Amino acid sequence: MAKNILISDDAAFMRMMIKDILTKNGYNVVGEAENGAKAVEKYNELKPDLVLMDITMPEMDGIQALKKIKEADSSALVIMCSAMGQQAMVIESIQAGAKDFIVKPFQADRVIEAVKKVVG
């Protein structure tokens, strides 16, 4: 059965790019969020199998959103995405419960590899 995925990124073209990669590989994109606050809201509403979450977003950043999602559902699966390959952010997001980390610009195979590793 296709896995349901929520994409959270403040850049519409990034969401579109990720959605394209996922749908071409048989995944089901159930929702999109343009900031962390919306991501938390949509997570609670849609209960996706996985969230792809950008770190740098307005209103609430990805790490705060990750923590809120994990508070609501400790079994939530989240992969963080960021253009900044900053070690501190990677470490902070992994400590907060992220399952993996993808660096922008995305390589389609790296996105699929991370998704497969986390949700199969």
Side-chain angles (χ1 to χ4, degrees):
M1 199 185 93
K3 297 290 183 187
N4 292 329
I5 301 177
L6 171 65
I7 301 169
S8 180
D9 195 305
D10 56 328
F13 80 96
M14 286 310 287
R15 294 196 306 270
M16 196 174 73
M17 207 170 88
I18 298 166
K19 184 177 186 171
D20 189 52
I21 293 168
L22 294 171
T23 52
K24 279 184 179 154
N25 284 274
Y27 293 96
N28 190 12
V29 175
V30 291
E32 296 181 24
E34 63 278 3
N35 61 53
K38 281 262 189 301
V40 173
E41 202 177 286
K42 292 232 178 191
Y43 181 86
N44 293 327
E45 177 192 320
L46 302 166
K47 300 281 186 251
D49 298 308
L50 175 68
V51 181
L52 286 177
M53 177 95 67
D54 186 22
I55 289 184
T56 315
M57 293 185 290
E59 274 187 62
M60 180 191 290
D61 70 35
I63 293 173
Q64 285 177 294
L66 167 66
K67 289 176 180 169
K68 288 226 180 292
I69 288 170
K70 288 300 246 180
E71 272 169 33
D73 178 2
S74 60
S75 65
L77 300 174
V78 181
I79 295 176
M80 302 305 281
C81 313
S82 183
M84 303 172 292
Q86 295 170 327
Q87 282 309 110
M89 290 229 174
V90 176
I91 292 163
E92 191 181 347
S93 58
I94 299 296
Q95 285 171 338
K99 294 291 175 210
D100 204 347
F101 195 94
I102 311 170
V103 180
K104 296 173 185 175
F106 298 127
Q107 252 60 60
D109 53 358
R110 174 67 186 106
V111 173
I112 295 306
E113 178 192 311
V115 170
K116 276 186 179 155
K117 192 174 88 181
V118 177
V119 292

